[in-house]
Every structure is written in C-alpha cells, then in structure tokens.
Amino acid sequence: MNEIKLQTPVDPGRSAVEISIKDTTVVLGSCFADNIGKKMEAFGFDVLVNPFGTLYNPVSVTEAVARLGSGEAFKAEECVRMGAGSDLVCSFSHNTSFARDTQEDFLEYANLSLGKSSQMWKKATKVIVTLGTAFCFRHIQSGRTVANCLKIDGREFIRYRLDVEGTVALLERMMEENPAKEFIFTVSPIRHLKDGAHGNQLSKSTLLLAVDRICTEYPGRADYFPAYEIVLDELRDYRFYAEDLVHPSGQAVECLWSRFLDFCFPAGEREEILAREKILKRSAHRPLH
C-alpha cells in the first residue's frame, strides 16, 4: 500500500557556510532573525542579535552593517521626535524599542549599545541575514531610506520598491567591505500582505533573486537557507501559523530551528546543542509544589 504524503518536503541540503558553537555570530534582519537569534542566545552561543532592533529592508540592513563596522557614534542631528503623540526620541536607524524620553537619554542608550555591538561585530566571523521586504520608505525631508517610520505621518515619506539590481549592489558592497566574514541569507517567510498578495510576491521574488546572485558570486562565503520555502511549501497548513495567519506559530519556529541546525551546524555539535536545550527546558520547569 502506497504511503499517503501530506507534505511537500523541502531539502535545504548542507550549507557551504558552517556555524560552530565556538564562533561569534551576528544575526540581523526581520522577525525570523529574531527567532533564530533568540534560540542561539538561549543555548549559550556567542551571538549578537539585531543591535538596532528588527530590520526589514536591504537598505537598512546594509546600513546597520556599515555602522557596526565604523562604530561612528549617533549624533544629535540624527535624533527624530516620534509621531502619533508619543513625544519619544529615536532615530531612523533604529526600531522604536530604542526610543527614549529625551534626546540625551536616547543618544546615551544608542551609543552605549553601538559601542558594545561594534566590538562584537569586529570579532564575528559568521553573519545571518534575514531580509523581509524589498519595499522601503524614503523620508522626503532628509532623503534617507528609513528602518522605521517612527509613527510619523505617512505623507512625509515616499514608498518605493527596490529592484533586483539595486538589491544585489547593496549586498555586494556589504560582502566586499567584510571579506573576513561568511554569510547565511534567508528571506522571511512572513508575508507583508499590506502590499497585497501580488505585491508581497514581487517583493519576495526580488529578494530571492538578489540573494541567489550573491550566493553564486561568493561561493563558500555566502549560502541560502530556505526558511521561506519550508514555511510556504512544507508547512502550508494553517496550524503552523499564529492567530494573525501571517506569522509562523511556535511549532513552525521549532521546526525551522531544527532544520537550521541540520543545515549549518557541524554534526558533531548537534548532540551538545540538544543537551543545552534539555537543560534550558528543565530550568524553565516550575514545580507545582
């Protein structure tokens, strides 16, 4: 009797870029980067996760990498007063989690974080980058493509979509400026449906084509983990999605983490990682009595 198949398996293979427990790793990008990075943090990896907060578009990701490399402190002219009556201060380089009550408080916090993060970036040998969308927002007055619109009136921005060549150029520059680092790229499986279903597909296709070019141009230094394909093809049942039907569920994240371990971690370290996971689960257990 033939076995009934209820999934379309996606085989990531083995990565040309291997990540070891002994490596210093930086994880940048959208929500999938947060998910993977938090797992690595919990299991005791030497890892830096989104030092400017969650980032979505390739411009912001590559600008973050450049800032980590230079370590150039944030200045008063980069401070932005947030909109929607919040009156907090942040910058167009950061997620709103960095916002503070005053300019002085923001600069102190942002630059303290930057100093520590820049030091870790310089010693890191492995980088995981998750790109979320090719759609960007350019602030009209400053001309800057922003990481976050900071709740400011949408009329102050121009929305545009990067093309494949523009995205490739950004990623090429990042690779060339960091020749000692190896990169694993992913494209976020989270759909940006505010762009419409077709707009989301155009955006993701742009990112997929650009990353494919980079992996071809830099064999051995760049590889692609198919998180997008695993979620959309192999885990396409809605039980693998959160209540918003867009973000992956906890079960889906666990599945992706397991597949990511198989993809890029040495086989000899898998046992130690699983042992760390058991210790973490035991420590999180709270007895009833």
Side-chain angles (χ1 to χ4, degrees), residues 8-149:
T8 307
V10 175
D11 181 12
R14 283 288 301 173
S15 178
V17 176
E18 204 169 63
I19 296 178
S20 168
I21 293 171
K22 301 170 186 175
D23 286 326
T24 298
T25 304
V26 175
V27 185
L28 295 164
S30 70
C31 299
F32 178 73
D34 288 327
N35 291 333
I36 291 297
K38 287 174 183 176
K39 284 283 188 185
M40 295 176 72
E41 279 183 332
F43 297 155
F45 285 80
D46 187 23
V47 61
L48 173 67
V49 184
N50 271 338
F52 302 100
T54 309
L55 304 171
Y56 299 97
N57 69 76
V59 176
S60 297
V61 169
T62 54
E63 284 184 351
V65 166
R67 195 84 183 222
L68 289 170
S70 72
E72 181 185 352
F74 289 96
K75 302 178 180 64
E77 54 265 31
E78 295 176 88
C79 294
V80 179
R81 185 74 61 180
M82 290 179 58
S86 72
D87 208 36
L88 295 174
V89 176
C90 197
S91 88
F92 284 137
S93 298
H94 292 85
N95 181 273
T96 54
S97 59
F98 277 76
R100 292 295 182 269
D101 289 329
T102 67
Q103 176 176 295
E104 292 73 21
D105 287 346
F106 167 74
L107 287 173
E108 181 181 3
Y109 180 63
N111 287 324
L112 181 64
S113 174
L114 175 62
K116 294 177 180 177
S117 300
S118 182
Q119 288 180 6
M120 196 161 180
W121 168 262
K122 288 171 183 175
K123 72 172 184 174
T125 56
K126 307 296 168 66
V127 186
I128 302 168
V129 174
T130 299
L131 303 176
T133 180
F135 283 100
C136 305
F137 287 88
R138 182 182 293 118
H139 186 237
I140 296 170
Q141 183 176 350
S142 67
R144 278 204 58 187
T145 293
V146 303
N148 196 291
C149 291

Side-chain angles (χ1 to χ4, degrees), residues 180-225:
K181 301 186 193 304
E182 298 176 356
F183 291 76
I184 291 179
F185 291 95
T186 68
V187 170
S188 171
I190 298 168
R191 292 167 293 163
H192 291 245
L193 293 179
K194 64 182 179 182
D195 303 321
H198 183 57
N200 174 72
Q201 289 299 94
L202 292 174
S203 169
K204 299 293 188 184
S205 298
T206 299
L207 301 177
L208 290 166
L209 288 167
V211 168
D212 185 66
R213 281 267 296 277
I214 294 299
C215 293
T216 301
E217 290 178 11
Y218 299 90
R221 276 194 62 213
D223 210 342
Y224 172 72
F225 175 70

